[in-house]
Amino acid sequence: MAAAEFVMAEPSHKRTGLMRWLTTTDHKEIGLMYLWAGFVFFILGGIAALLMRLELFQPGLQVVSGETFNELFSLHGTTMVFLWIMPAVAGLGNYFVPIMLKAKDMAYPRVNALSFWLIVPAGILLYLPLLIQGWTAVNVTWVGYPPLSTTFPGVGLDLWILALILLGMASTLGSINFLVTIFKMRGPGVTLFNMPLFAWAQLATSVLLVFSLPVVTVAFLMLLFDRSFGTHFFTGAGSEPILYQHLFWFFGHPEVYVLILPLMGVLNEVIPKFSRRPVFGYTSMAWAMMGIAIVGFIVWAHHMFTTGINPTVRAVFMFNTMLVGVPTGVKVFNWLTTMWGGQIALKAPMKHALGFIWLFVIGGITGVMLGAIPVDYALHDSYFVVAHFHYTMVGGAVFGIFAGIYYWYPILSNGRMYNEKMANGQFWLMFVGFNLTFFPQFLLGLNGMPRRVVDYDPLPQYGNIQTLLNQMSTVGAFMIALAVFVFLLNVAVSHRRNVRVSADPWGGNRVVEYQLWEQGRVKLGEGLIVDHEPEPLAVTEAKARAAAERLEAA
Amino acid sequence: MSSDQGGDHPHLPHGSVWPFWLAVAISLLGIGLVMLGQSLQMNDPNAAHVASPLSLTVLGLGVAAVVGTLAGWFFEDYKWWPSNTGTGTHIPKAGALLFISSEFFLFGALFANYFTFQHLSHANGLGWPDGEVELPLLKTGFFSLFLFASSATIHKADNHLRRNEHKQFVRWWGLTILLGLVFLGGQVMEYTNLIAEGHTLGSSQFMTAFFILTGTHGLHVFGGLGLLFVMWLRARKGQFNAQRHAGPQVASMYWHFVDIVWVVVLTVLYILPALGFA
Ligand code: HEM
Ligand SMILES: [Cu+2]
C-alpha cells in the first residue's frame, strides 16, 4: 500500500503550564506522569501497610479496629497492585519503548493519554470513602470474593468496583497501544529480533493484559449487578460463587506476571550493561518471556486448590504451575550467565538488579512449593503466602522499578544525576528492611498465622515466638519506609544540586536510548527525530567514557 | 518505513484536551451507575426499588458527557485529516484487531456464565430455562436478518470505496446504518415485550444470563452504529478514498465482529433451546 506521508503535528508544545500537562500526548511526558502518580499511590499504600504493621506489633487490638484493619489491607493490596506497580511500569514502558524502537511516539497518542487519565479518577474513587463520614472504603480484600463482596452494603465497595473497571479499561487500551507500537511503529533498522529485550517484556505483558482483563471486567460488572440490580450471579439460588474466583484468577494470575515481566525486562537491560557483556541468549530470553505469558494463562486454579474443585482439574493445574517455573528458571540462568566472567560494576541499578534476582528466586521457589496441592492445603491463606508474593512483587517488581529508575535517571530527569551514596544507603536499607519484614512472615505462616486477621495467637507455649516474629516484621517495614524516603530525598536533592551529565554515565555496551539521548534527540515535550544517520559509534563511546570519568571524579 | 518518519524537524503528536475530558466523562457515567444502584436498594426486600431522580440525572449527564467528548475526539480526526496528521494509515487496523480479540474474551466470559447457570439449573432439577419464558425465535430471527444483511452491505460499501466510487460507498454505508437501526429497534421491542410479561434482569437465572448477553451485545451494536455514523459523516465530507480508508475499514471490521457474535448468541440462546438442546 502506497501510504501517504504521515506527519506529527507540532515541533514542540504549544501550550504551557497546567494545560500542557492536561493536553499532552507526548509519550515521555505521559510516562513521567505515570511515574509521579505511581509514587503518590505508593506512599498512600505504604501508609496503610505501616498502620497494619503497627497494629500487629503486639497481639490484641491497639492501633486500629478490626473494621479499619479490613479497609487497610484491602486498600493496600488494591493500591500496590493497580495504582503503584502498574502505573510505574506503564511509566517506564511509555517513556522508553518508543525510544528503543526509534518510533515517533506510541501508536495512539491520545488513547495513551486517556489510559493515564483514567487511573486518576480511579485512585480518587478508591480513597474517597475515607474522607466521608460514615462511608466504608473497600474492605473485602483486593480479590473481593463473594458472598462478602455482594452482600456487604455501602457505596464504598461500589466505588472500588468502579475504580477497578476504570483501571481495567486503562490497561486494556494501554496494552493494545504497546502491541501496535511494537508491531507497527518500529523505526529504520529495528526488527522484532533485534529490539531491546525491555520491549519484548512489554510485548509479553501486553498480551497477558489484553486477553485477561476483559474477563475480570465481566466479573466486576457481575459483582456490581449483584449488589445493585437484583441479579444472582454469585449469591442466591442457582448461583455460583466459585465462578467469580475462576473469572478473577483467570485474570489474577496473568496479572502477577504483568507485575514482574516488565521488570524482568529492566533486568535484561541493566545486567548486561553493568556486567560489560552482551546479554546471554537474546532469543531464549525473548521466548522465555513469551513462554511465561502463555503458560501464565493456564495456571489460575492454583489459587483455588482449597475450594473443592474437581481433583483431576486440580492436578492438571498443579502440573501447569510447576511448568511455569521452567521459563522463569531460564531467565534467571540467562542473567547469571550474562554476569559470568563479566566486569561487574556495582552501581545502584545493578545492586537493585542483583537484589531482584536473589529475592525473586526465593519468591519463585516458595511459589512452586505452594503450587504443590498438599503443601497449599496447609499454607493457603497463611502468612506464608503473604511472604511468597511479597518476595516476588516487592523483592522482584519494586526492586526492578528502582533499578530502572536509577538506570535511566539522567534521561528521565533531563540530565540530572542522582547521588550514588544516598542510592547505596537506600538499597541496603531496603534490602535488609525487606528481608527483615518478610522472611519472618514465612515462619509466621508455617506456625499457622492466618493472613488478613487483625490479631494473632502469640503462641505462649513456644515463648511467644509469633510476637517476636511480628515485631521483626514491623521494624523491617519501617526500614523500607525510610528507604523510600531516602529515595525521594535523593530525587529532591538531585533536582536542587543540579549535577548534570550529558552522556551515558555507565560505560559498557552502547544502548539505543542513551545514544539517542546524547544526540539531543530525546527531549521532553519534543518529538523524537529518527531519520538522522546515527552518530559514529566511536564518538558516542568517547563521550560516554568522558562522562563516566567526570562522574567518578565528582 | 522511512518515508513515514517526517522531515528534519522534531515531531510531537497533537496535544488534545479530549483524553482528559473523556476520562472524566467515563467516570461520571460510572458514578451515575453506582448512584442508580444505590437508590434502587435491591438488597432491602421492603424497599420500593425506584430509581432516584438524582441518580438518573447523573447517569444521563454521564452518557451525554461521554457522547460529547467522543464527538470532540472524532472531530479532531476530521480536522487533522487534510494535513495527514497521525501516526500512519497502517496503525488503526492492527489496534482494531487486538481490540476485537480482547472482546472475544469478554463474550467468552459471559458465555462461561451462561453455561454455568445452565449446568447448575439442570443439576438442581429445574431444567433450562429455569423459569416460564418463551423467546420469540421467529421475530428475533426476522430482525437478525437485517443485521446479517448489514454485514453484506458494509462489505459492498467497502468494495466501492476501494474502487473510489464515492457516491455508492456513501449510499451503501448509509444503508448499513439503517439496517443496524432496524435490528436495534427489534431488540428494544423484544425487551419491552419481555418486561411487559414480567421478566426482569433478576427474575430467573436464565433471564439474567439472557439480558446480560444480549444487553452487552446490544451495547456493542449501539457503539458500532456510533462509529459507522461518524464515518458516514466524514465520508460525506469526502474524507475517504481508495488510498485512505483506515477509518471505514476499522468500523467495518468491528461491525462484522458484532455480527459474528450475534450468530453465536442467536444459536445458543434461541435456536438450540427451540430444537430441544438445552
Ligand atoms: C514460579 C513462579 C510462581 C509460582 C509457582 C507461584 C505460585 C503461587 C501459588 C500456588 C499461589 C497460591 C497460594 C495460596 O493462596 O494458597 C500464589 C499466590 C500468589 N502469588 Fe505466586 N507464584 C509464582 C510467582 C509469582 C509472581 C512472579 C508473583 C508476582 C509478581 C506472584 C504473586 C502472587 C500473589 C499476589 C499471590 C497471592 C494472591 C492472593 O491470594 O492474594 N507469584 N503463587
Ligand atoms: Cu498464581
Side-chain angles (χ1 to χ4, degrees), chain A residues 169 172-173 176 180 210-211 214, chain B residues 92-106 220 254 257:
Chain A
M169 288 169 69
T172 307
L173 296 175
I176 292 174
V180 179
V210 166
F211 298 114
Chain B
K93 196 175 149 192
L97 270 176
L98 283 164
F99 187 72
I100 288 170
S101 30
S102 175
E103 296 258 271
F104 264 112
F105 277 70
L106 185 112
H220 280 74
Y254 191 72
F257 159 73

Side-chain angles (χ1 to χ4, degrees), chain A residues 97 182-183 191-206 265 268 282 285-287 289-290:
Chain A
V97 166
I182 291 169
F183 282 114
T191 69
L192 270 185
F193 282 95
N194 72 10
M195 69 184 185
L197 281 166
F198 181 65
W200 264 104
Q202 288 290 348
L203 196 168
T205 305
S206 306
N268 294 340
Y282 174 97
M285 288 281 225
W287 286 116
M289 285 192 282
M290 287 313 282

Side-chain angles (χ1 to χ4, degrees), chain A residues 147-161:
Chain A
L148 184 59
S149 58
T150 47
T151 48
F152 189 89
V155 71
L157 255 179
D158 295 329
L159 293 180
W160 168 75
I161 296 171

Side-chain angles (χ1 to χ4, degrees), chain A residues 142 249 256-257 260 302-303 321 324 360 364 367-368 370-371 376 380 385 388-389 392-393 451-452:
Chain A
W142 79 284
W249 289 113
V256 306
Y257 285 110
I260 200 73
H302 66 213
H303 296 272
T321 301
V324 106
F360 180 74
V368 174
L370 288 169
D376 193 56
H380 177 62
V385 177
H388 153 65
F389 68 73
T392 55
M393 296 212 273
R451 62 191 284 207
R452 298 168 173 151

Side-chain angles (χ1 to χ4, degrees), chain A residues 159-412:
Chain A
L159 293 180
W160 168 75
I161 296 171
L162 175 58
L164 287 177
I165 293 173
L166 294 178
L167 291 165
M169 288 169 69
S171 298
T172 307
L173 296 175
S175 315
I176 292 174
N177 220 337
F178 272 119
L179 286 173
V180 179
T181 306
I182 291 169
F183 282 114
K184 295 286 177 186
M185 297 282 291
R186 294 188 310 271
V190 186
T191 69
L192 270 185
F193 282 95
N194 72 10
M195 69 184 185
L197 281 166
F198 181 65
W200 264 104
Q202 288 290 348
L203 196 168
T205 305
S206 306
V207 168
L208 282 167
L209 283 170
V210 166
F211 298 114
S212 64
L213 275 166
V215 175
V216 81
T217 303
V218 166
F220 291 146
L221 277 172
M222 288 173 172
L223 269 191
L224 193 67
F225 271 60
D226 271 5
R227 293 176 58 73
S228 305
F229 302 118
T231 56
H232 303 280
F233 287 108
F234 305 129
T235 33
S239 72
E240 179 56 290
I242 296 296
L243 177 67
Y244 177 85
Q245 297 192 21
H246 278 296
L247 297 178
F248 183 89
W249 289 113
F250 182 83
F251 154 81
H253 186 86
E255 169 69 14
V256 306
Y257 285 110
V258 163
L259 300 178
I260 200 73
L261 277 170
L263 292 319
M264 289 181 159
V266 168
L267 258 70
N268 294 340
E269 303 298 320
V270 167
I271 288 179
K273 181 84 170 170
F274 290 85
S275 305
R276 312 290 190 239
R277 291 197 52 195
V279 67
F280 180 87
Y282 174 97
T283 324
S284 64
M285 288 281 225
W287 286 116
M289 285 192 282
M290 287 313 282
I292 291 176
I294 290 160
V295 182
F297 271 114
I298 49 170
V299 302
W300 78 87
H302 66 213
H303 296 272
M304 302 163 58
F305 281 158
T306 59
T307 54
I309 53 172
N310 180 314
T312 317
V313 172
R314 217 160 48 188
V316 171
F317 275 95
M318 171 162 102
F319 177 79
N320 294 351
T321 301
M322 303 290 158
L323 205 63
V324 106
V326 176
T328 314
V330 168
K331 295 211 58 86
V332 172
F333 282 112
N334 274 342
W335 293 326
L336 297 181
T337 334
T338 302
M339 287 190 281
W340 192 273
Q343 284 175 283
I344 303 212
L346 267 184
K347 301 284 187 193
M350 187 61 169
K351 282 192 186 122
H352 281 88
L354 294 178
F356 177 121
I357 297 180
W358 177 246
L359 301 175
F360 180 74
V361 164
I362 297 178
I365 288 175
T366 50
V368 174
M369 287 166 69
L370 288 169
I373 296 166
V375 179
D376 193 56
Y377 259 71
L379 295 175
H380 177 62
D381 267 352
S382 79
Y383 261 78
F384 192 90
V385 177
V386 177
H388 153 65
F389 68 73
H390 282 88
Y391 264 84
T392 55
M393 296 212 273
V394 183
V398 177
F399 274 68
I401 292 172
F402 281 115
I405 291 178
Y406 283 130
Y407 174 43
W408 288 311
Y409 198 89
I411 303 182
L412 286 170

